[in-house]
Amino acid sequence: MNYVVLGLIAVTLLFSFKGFNDVSFFRKFEFHIGSIKNGEHIRMFTAALLHADISHLFFNMFTLYMFAPVVQNYLGNVSFLVIYFISLIFGSLLTLWIHQNDYSYRAIGASGAVTGILYSAILLEPNMSLYLFFIPIPIPAFLFGIGYLLYSIYGMKAKNDNIGHTAHFGGAIGGYLITLTKVPSMLFDNTVMVLVLAIPIVLLFILVKKDKI
């Protein structure tokens, strides 16, 4: 039994259910640009323990449970935790940077940390196949990863939903970079795949530089 992952899930469940039933608790620990700029930096961490509803919580925890073993099998529990929390931080920092002038911006969810684990797993096992509920054929993991981040760019530009696409992207960057520092041989052994998975990350920063996001 994977006690490390189950421990993360248990803490997130407890915190999230507390937030479901206590609005003041939810507001105190959610990601909020104005409050963070006012010195409440703990929100950049605690927001990952809150979720909007049961489906949001289930999707994040299910994704974590499915992909965490890939990272753990390759890198071990300590590195898994490092990637999880660094990805969380990257997600929060990118969100703070992109939305720094929107003092009313709010976000919650473990999506940044979970996406970091997802992207790390894809980098470690790019040829594994994924099955999505609405697509009856297997999808190569690297195509899913690229498509997911391209969709996140679209979501960041469109701003037509309440999903924290920026945190997803920041988490993916964290997972990507930390995994490469843990297994630098991938830069030489699987150069093409490393470069392919970097495409949406480079595209994001080009769009930001050109003020398209």
Side-chain angles (χ1 to χ4, degrees):
M1 186 174 292
N2 196 329
Y3 292 107
V4 173
V5 176
L6 291 180
L8 275 178
I9 292 175
V11 171
T12 305
L13 287 174
L14 289 172
F15 214 87
S16 292
F17 276 101
K18 172 68 174 174
F20 293 157
N21 299 300
D22 188 336
V23 175
S24 62
F25 179 86
F26 187 92
R27 291 303 181 200
K28 181 179 180 180
F29 293 108
E30 68 180 346
F31 186 100
H32 179 241
I33 294 289
S35 298
I36 292 170
K37 286 205 165 189
N38 199 38
E40 297 180 33
H41 301 125
I42 190 66
R43 290 171 177 264
M44 297 179 69
F45 300 91
T46 56
L49 297 171
L50 294 169
H51 288 81
D53 50 39
I54 293 293
S55 60
H56 184 207
L57 175 61
F58 172 78
F59 181 78
N60 273 340
M61 296 301 97
F62 179 75
T63 303
L64 176 63
Y65 185 80
M66 293 300 293
F67 289 95
V70 177
V71 179
Q72 290 172 304
N73 289 339
Y74 273 89
L75 304 177
N77 285 328
V78 173
S79 292
F80 161 76
L81 289 172
V82 168
I83 292 171
Y84 185 88
F85 288 108
I86 292 296
S87 296
L88 189 164
I89 293 169
F90 267 60
S92 292
L93 287 175
L94 186 64
T95 302
L96 183 61
W97 179 49
I98 295 291
H99 300 282
Q100 59 185 300
N101 296 319
D102 183 359
Y103 280 67
S104 64
Y105 183 89
R106 303 173 185 272
I108 38 87
S111 300
V114 172
T115 305
I117 295 299
L118 170 66
Y119 221 64
S120 176
I122 291 173
L123 192 57
L124 292 165
E125 280 283 356
N127 294 317
M128 66 179 172
S129 295
L130 306 179
Y131 289 85
L132 302 181
F133 296 115
F134 51 88
I135 301 178
I137 57 174
I139 301 174
F142 74 93
L143 288 181
F144 175 81
I146 293 170
Y148 186 75
L149 291 193
L150 290 177
Y151 170 71
S152 293
I153 289 177
Y154 166 77
M156 291 164 67
K157 288 174 62 66
K159 300 178 182 178
N160 57 4
D161 56 37
N162 293 320
I163 299 173
H165 297 286
T166 313
H168 296 172
F169 220 108
I173 294 171
Y176 178 86
L177 293 177
I178 300 303
T179 302
L180 286 179
T181 64
K182 295 289 183 180
V183 192
S185 59
M186 284 193 293
L187 290 168
F188 307 99
D189 298 336
N190 206 2
T191 306
V192 173
M193 192 58 64
V194 170
L195 292 175
V196 166
L197 288 171
I199 290 173
I201 295 173
V202 173
L203 177 61
L204 172 69
F205 285 102
I206 291 174
L207 291 172
V208 170
K209 186 174 179 61
K210 292 185 175 182
D211 202 26
K212 298 294 185 180
I213 292 181

